Amino acid sequence: MSTMSNNAIAHPDLDLNTRLDFITRGLARIDNADRALIEKTLQVKEKPSIYWGVAPTGRPHIGYLVPFVKIAEFVEAGLEVKVLVADVYAFLVNYKHSRSLVARRAEYYKFALGAVFEAILGLPVSCIQFHQETTFADTPGFINDAYELLCHTSQAAARSPTDELRNTVMLSPLVCPVVQSLDEKYMNCDFQLGGLDQAGYVVYEDEFLPKIGYSRQHARIYNKMLPGLTGTKMSASNPRSKIDLLDPPELVQQKIVDAICDPCMDIEDNPILALLKIVLLPISKLRLTRCFGAVSGASAYAPFIEPGAPDGALFSVMQESGEPQHYASYDEIERDYLDGNLSATALKNAVAKAMVQLLAPIRASFEANPSWRDVLNLAYPESEQDVLASGTVDASECFCIPAALRQISNERVKLTPFNSTLHAGEFMRVAKQHPEIWAHGPIGPFDSAQSFVSDFIETFVRPKTDMMLYAVIDKSKPSDGVDDDGVLAGLISYISTSPTNLCTEIAFVITLPPFQRTHVTSNAVGLLLNFALNSPDEGGLGFRRVQWMTSTVNYRSIRTAEKMGFTKEGIIRWDRLYPGGRRKGKLSSGKSLQAKGRATHMDEDDLGRDSVMLSMCWDDWFLEGKREHVNGRMDN
């Protein structure tokens, strides 16, 4: 791919500390024992080996720059670097695709990731080795080891590494921990690189590999994870959250300009700062170290600085005044940004320019390689696009009533099916400032948009067929970019929905504090009541009962329900348990978990809740004037 000669592949005669710095800097995590093992291995081995595994599923995006920055540093440290293309794992976890399609994607990954490696420093792809899982996964030894691991693995253990496995209804993904664990054995390297999202697999490996006689001898290190442009997880299946490696420059520019970048959001969730911290500045530092002035065509691999930058500068930002501001470290950039001395617009423009420069060699490699161009359409044909490729799949896609998977609105408020890519980042940006909104419910608080998505949306909402979660949009406010019709004001949902019994419950009514005591809550609740209780001829579901349950000490929620016309039916004692509720800031019903001096089986940090049950039924709606009452409340 690259025309650069091999005579500049690595720095000669690096001392131990320099090699150790290349290997360990910028990591998300490295245990002291692993660090000591790396140091010991460098002392006794001239060229230790390290591997990183990747499953060829969705098209590679800029998130893959993160491990490849480390891979470039490994090459600089004189390591033998192996990239494992885990095609067997990809087939098992993405079972809807054929083996032949996965094989084509494995080819695509080799082209794409090879180009990523070359783009960072201009080194030839021959500096690293690509290995394919099928070369050893089909051997008798591997298959026998897999059978043995399966005999030791319970279903719970197989589901334990990730939420994806915990929620699957298929068998093949549950074999993935077995396959990934054996990769470790059969790659037989001194070190292993992985992302923090792989930590659950490591726990499985450490417990079960010794049961088949394999004792870990290598060190594990973890790279950081790049958040998506929307503030949630970057995913190949969510176009708005990521930049494809082959996106044209104008699209790269537009996606970065549109990315969330708010001083009030958690720093770790800010995609612009993350790109700087774990991709652009480390690459700029590597490029400065490498003295590109003597290399032909060095401009494509120059540091991300403007002409005239002082020695030691790693990144330049053009201010609105037209003058460049030069930075020697990420900390300086973050400090200026948080202090208001560096605008989000200037920062985004500089990051966009650097990303266009970084991705240019990858696009050039693609255009110059007919084999890569040919395999693109075979690996990602129009008929085999990933289920989530449109980026518009909603959190409640499994809801039992497809007719509810649509927008419901009036002149003041719109309810739209909650979409993690569109809504989670903005919702958590505000919610993090108000942890009290989680005090009366079983979920939360969440420390980031990513944890909100993984621990609530993906774990709690998406698997349920009886739950429909809506984002609440206040149409009286001008759009802030999340929704064209207004501003994201909160959440609301149907739960415990039964088409057979024609009943549902309105729950998770979370109106963000800036929108409380306005028209938002009454209109959101009113829209759901009208949709549930109105007849099908009127565009409703024709349900017979809508209930409302809340804690007996959630006085605001009770008052809201009663103002909307719900009838109180009674108290359900000890209806909920909040595990760890005291620690999480939950408000219970004030009942002690001690009974006559005897502790119950519950932890002292747990809290119990009594619930009040309220309802509105079809006869209330049509015969007792409740429909007119609700619509009147919505107009106030």
Side-chain angles (χ1 to χ4, degrees), residues 520-541:
V520 168
T521 303
S522 60
N523 277 261
V525 174
L527 286 169
L528 288 192
L529 283 170
N530 274 278
F531 186 47
L533 293 171
N534 283 343
S535 69
D537 291 343
E538 299 171 298
L541 298 174

Side-chain angles (χ1 to χ4, degrees), residues 123-431:
L123 297 176
V125 72
S126 57
C127 292
I128 60 178
Q129 305 171 23
F130 281 96
H131 294 255
Q132 207 151 316
E133 204 171 39
T134 44
T135 60
F136 55 76
D138 293 336
T139 63
F142 187 98
I143 293 170
N144 274 335
D145 284 342
Y147 289 160
E148 284 201 44
L149 273 180
L150 286 169
C151 289
H152 290 289
T153 304
S154 67
Q155 290 186 37
R159 292 183 181 277
S160 63
T162 67
D163 289 334
E164 181 178 29
L165 300 184
R166 276 189 282 274
N167 297 323
T168 185
V169 297
M170 299 298 289
L171 179 60
S172 65
L174 299 183
V175 185
C176 289
V178 170
V179 172
Q180 181 160 325
S181 296
L182 292 176
D183 289 343
E184 176 182 302
K185 176 180 178 181
Y186 282 79
M187 287 302 291
N188 192 29
C189 288
D190 298 294
F191 315 139
Q192 176 185 355
L193 173 68
L196 282 177
D197 58 338
Q198 299 297 301
Y201 284 98
V202 169
V203 173
Y204 173 89
E205 292 163 9
D206 286 345
E207 179 177 355
F208 289 98
L209 282 179
K211 295 180 185 295
I212 64 169
Y214 177 70
S215 178
R216 178 167 75 96
Q217 303 293 328
H218 66 267
R220 294 193 185 104
I221 56 180
Y222 299 88
N223 60 258
K224 295 177 179 177
M225 304 295 291
L226 195 63
L229 300 179
T230 56
T232 58
K233 182 180 179 181
M234 182 172 290
S235 171
S237 59
N238 289 330
R240 287 172 58 104
S241 78
K242 54 96 179 184
I243 295 172
D244 189 271
L245 295 176
L246 300 180
D247 277 347
E250 60 273 15
L251 184 55
V252 174
Q253 171 83 27
Q254 188 60 50
K255 284 185 175 182
I256 291 177
V257 167
D258 291 342
I260 188 169
C261 185
D262 192 311
C264 296
M265 71 187 299
D266 189 89
I267 291 296
E268 298 302 316
D269 291 338
N270 189 312
I272 302 302
L273 293 180
L275 275 170
L276 283 163
K277 185 175 185 177
I278 60 183
V279 174
L280 295 175
L281 266 70
I283 290 176
S284 205
K285 185 175 182 180
L286 277 171
R287 291 178 173 185
L288 280 173
T289 304
R290 214 162 227 292
C291 303
F292 277 98
V295 179
S296 176
S299 59
Y301 308 103
F304 306 114
I305 52 177
E306 296 290 336
D311 290 345
L314 295 177
F315 197 80
S316 298
V317 178
M318 293 298 295
Q319 300 279 26
E320 282 84 351
S321 64
E323 293 296 317
Q325 178 70 39
H326 307 294
Y327 294 95
S329 71
Y330 166 79
D331 289 340
E332 295 175 10
I333 298 175
E334 181 184 301
R335 183 168 58 250
D336 269 6
Y337 173 67
L338 294 180
D339 288 346
N341 299 321
L342 178 60
S343 72
T345 299
L347 193 58
K348 287 181 178 181
N349 287 337
V351 169
K353 180 180 179 181
M355 287 303 303
V356 168
Q357 176 188 333
L358 177 58
L359 297 177
I362 300 175
R363 286 189 54 81
S365 179
F366 174 76
E367 296 296 339
N369 190 332
S371 297
W372 185 4
R373 296 199 306 273
D374 289 344
V375 83
L376 171 59
N377 290 329
L378 295 173
Y380 300 97
E382 200 66 33
S383 62
E384 289 282 2
Q385 292 296 316
D386 284 343
V387 172
L388 298 179
S390 67
T392 59
V393 172
D394 304 309
S396 305
E397 59 181 331
C398 297
F399 190 55
C400 56
I401 306 175
L405 290 169
R406 64 176 179 83
Q407 295 179 359
I408 310 169
S409 67
N410 60 16
E411 293 182 354
R412 308 176 83 183
V413 165
K414 179 175 76 174
L415 308 183
T416 187
F418 189 91
N419 183 291
S420 297
T421 302
L422 301 177
H423 302 127
E426 175 62 16
F427 176 78
M428 281 305 299
R429 182 188 70 80
V430 181

